[in-house]
Amino acid sequence: MSLPVEEQRQARAVRELIAAAGGVEAAEHDCGKSKSLFSAYQSPNDHRSITLRDIEILESLTHGKAGHPIVTRYLARQAGYILLQRPDVPADRGTILNLLARQAEERGQCDPELMRALADGQIDEKEAQRLVPMMRQRLETDAQMLVKLEAIAEGVGT
C-alpha cells in the first residue's frame, strides 16, 4: 500500500537525509534505533515517521553537504519559505563582494535560460524543471546577501 503523495515526498526527504548522514547503518549507530526502523522511515509504503529528535541528530551530521539541512529545508519549502543560515558575525567587504560576484554569475546563467524558455511565449514543464534549481540557488544567494547586510545593519558582532 502506497502512502499519499505528500507522505511519499516526506519519505523521500528522509531518505535523502539518511543517505547524507551515512546510510541506515550510520543512522542506527548515531540515533540508537534499528536499521529496520530507519528503512521504514524512508519507505513510500510505511506510515511510520522519523522523530524530530532523530532529524536533529542526523542533520547535525550533514553540515557542509549539499542541501543541508535537508528535512528542515523541505519543511520550510512546504510552508512557503526559503531557509537560509544567518551569519554569526557581520560580513566584511570581501564577503559582500564575493556574494555580489555570485549573484552576477547566477543571473548570467539563469536569465538567458529564462529568456530562451519565454521565447515562444510560455514556459513548459521541461523548461520549468531546468529553471527551478537555478532560480532556487539565485534566491538563496540573494537571501544570503540580505542577511549579511541585516547583520551589519544590526551591529551583530561589532
Side-chain angles (χ1 to χ4, degrees):
M1 171 179 80
S2 286
L3 297 172
V5 173
E6 184 55 37
E7 290 183 47
Q8 289 182 41
R9 285 188 194 115
Q10 294 165 359
R12 188 171 28 254
V14 171
R15 183 178 327 115
E16 290 173 23
L17 173 60
I18 290 170
V24 292
E25 292 84 6
E28 173 186 44
H29 175 266
D30 294 320
C31 298
K33 295 182 179 167
S34 72
K35 289 187 293 190
S36 62
L37 189 56
F38 285 103
S39 293
Y41 290 159
Q42 62 186 339
S43 170
N45 303 312
D46 196 305
H47 71 280
R48 290 177 282 182
S49 295
I50 191 168
T51 66
L52 183 57
R53 182 177 299 119
D54 292 337
I55 291 169
E56 187 174 7
I57 290 168
L58 296 177
E59 284 191 345
S60 74
L61 302 172
T62 64
H63 284 276
K65 296 186 180 178
H68 171 79
I70 294 166
V71 171
T72 301
R73 187 175 304 279
Y74 166 82
L75 291 171
R77 266 196 319 269
Q78 293 307 110
Y81 293 90
I82 294 174
L83 184 67
L84 55 126
Q85 184 177 6
R86 293 199 51 97
D88 293 329
V89 295
D92 59 16
R93 183 175 187 270
T95 303
I96 297 294
L97 286 171
N98 285 339
L99 279 171
L100 189 58
R102 275 185 39 203
Q103 286 174 319
E105 180 182 353
E106 289 164 3
R107 280 180 176 72
Q109 292 170 352
C110 186
D111 288 350
E113 289 289 325
L114 186 56
M115 295 302 287
R116 275 192 284 282
L118 287 168
D120 62 359
Q122 62 185 8
I123 296 179
D124 64 30
E125 185 178 337
K126 197 173 225 170
E127 291 166 329
Q129 288 171 352
R130 191 174 65 248
L131 285 164
V132 164
M134 295 171 81
M135 290 299 296
R136 182 171 287 127
Q137 181 59 53
R138 186 173 155 172
L139 284 171
E140 288 179 5
T141 301
D142 286 346
Q144 287 175 19
M145 175 71 86
L146 175 62
V147 297
K148 300 265 187 214
L149 293 172
E150 285 176 342
I152 293 169
E154 294 166 4
V156 173
T158 59

